[in-house]
Amino acid sequence: DPADGQSDVRVEREFVVKLRGIVNERTLGADAFTIVPEPTAVYSYYNSYEGRYVISWPMQPQTGYTVTLAGKIADIFGNTLGKDEAIGFRTGNRKPFAHLNVPNEVGTYNAYADTEIAVSYRNVSELNFELYTVSEADAQRLLGPQGWEVRREYKPKADALLREWTVPVTPESNSNTLTKYQLGDATTGIPLPSGIYWLELRAPEVKYVSGADGVPQGTQEVPRHLLIVSPFNLIAKKAASEILVW
């Protein structure tokens, strides 16, 4: 697995061979297989309980590979494969993604400067942004003691939508791209006013799931970010009996 002749194989997967009988693991050394084109690094192991011989290497997209198993692979009774077995397959593209390139779920931004957000993406055709205003009550919950859980399940109200827009992109195939985008109104040039905002990002090629449901393979959570845009900055230093703010 993958099977001989298979195409559009995910580059993230491993090459797995099911071996029957009690395998002589001494015959599963570095010369037990060859890979063409030869990768820079290969890792292999044998799971005797499941009879799975796993060969892993950093597969490249849109590449044809041939894995040849040596005919000398044997069981403990001396029975061998008898001849070399070649399995050929071709990989597909890397899976698409689009992420908000922010260090945390919550960020503070200077109201005197243009509010920009960095986005990293791959193999997508467009980026769809939704920017919502956040009420004071919602902000208290999102920033409260259980804020991480509230943010994970938070769904902004439809009437809180401030702006939504689409940015067409043409990234190089299978390459990661990082770009900054302004969150103010690009048509009027008006920057984002002071306030608390909720930003979501989607791309049509990406399959999304709710964070509360877990993240199955091949999917991702909707990228979200809570923005606090303010002209003020307070720093607090706290001791056991006093606090200093400046």
Side-chain angles (χ1 to χ4, degrees), residues 95-170:
K95 67 178 181 180
F97 75 82
H99 295 296
L100 296 173
N101 200 43
V102 291
N104 297 295
E105 292 181 337
V106 181
T108 57
Y109 298 83
N110 186 354
Y112 293 119
D114 290 333
T115 305
E116 294 182 325
I117 201 82
V119 178
S120 55
Y121 53 92
R122 180 180 66 206
N123 289 345
V124 298
S125 60
E126 62 184 36
L127 303 173
N128 300 313
F129 296 89
E130 294 179 0
L131 184 64
Y132 298 84
T133 57
V134 176
S135 67
E136 183 176 341
D138 280 357
Q140 290 178 352
R141 294 191 304 111
L142 291 165
L143 297 170
Q146 303 298 321
W148 65 272
E149 186 174 355
V150 176
R151 291 191 297 272
R152 189 176 178 85
E153 300 180 359
Y154 183 67
K155 294 182 180 179
K157 298 178 181 178
D159 59 5
L161 181 64
L162 178 66
R163 191 163 72 93
E164 60 181 332
W165 69 102
T166 296
V167 179
V169 293
T170 54

Side-chain angles (χ1 to χ4, degrees), residues 164-233:
E164 60 181 332
W165 69 102
T166 296
V167 179
V169 293
T170 54
E172 183 180 349
S173 180
N174 295 304
S175 296
N176 299 354
T177 302
L178 177 65
T179 309
K180 287 184 177 180
Y181 297 98
Q182 290 192 14
L183 298 185
D185 193 329
T187 57
T188 63
I190 299 176
L192 197 62
S194 299
I196 303 177
Y197 303 90
W198 180 265
L199 178 67
E200 294 188 353
L201 169 69
R202 292 176 175 82
E205 291 82 1
V206 181
K207 296 179 181 179
Y208 295 102
V209 293
S210 168
D213 299 331
V215 185
Q217 191 174 50
T219 65
Q220 72 169 71
E221 293 185 49
V222 175
R224 297 165 293 182
H225 187 53
L226 182 65
L227 302 92
I228 303 172
V229 182
S230 174
F232 307 110
N233 185 34

Side-chain angles (χ1 to χ4, degrees), residues 11 39-42 56-60 65:
V11 297
T40 55
V42 181
S56 178
W57 69 94
M59 296 185 188
Q60 298 302 310
Y65 286 99

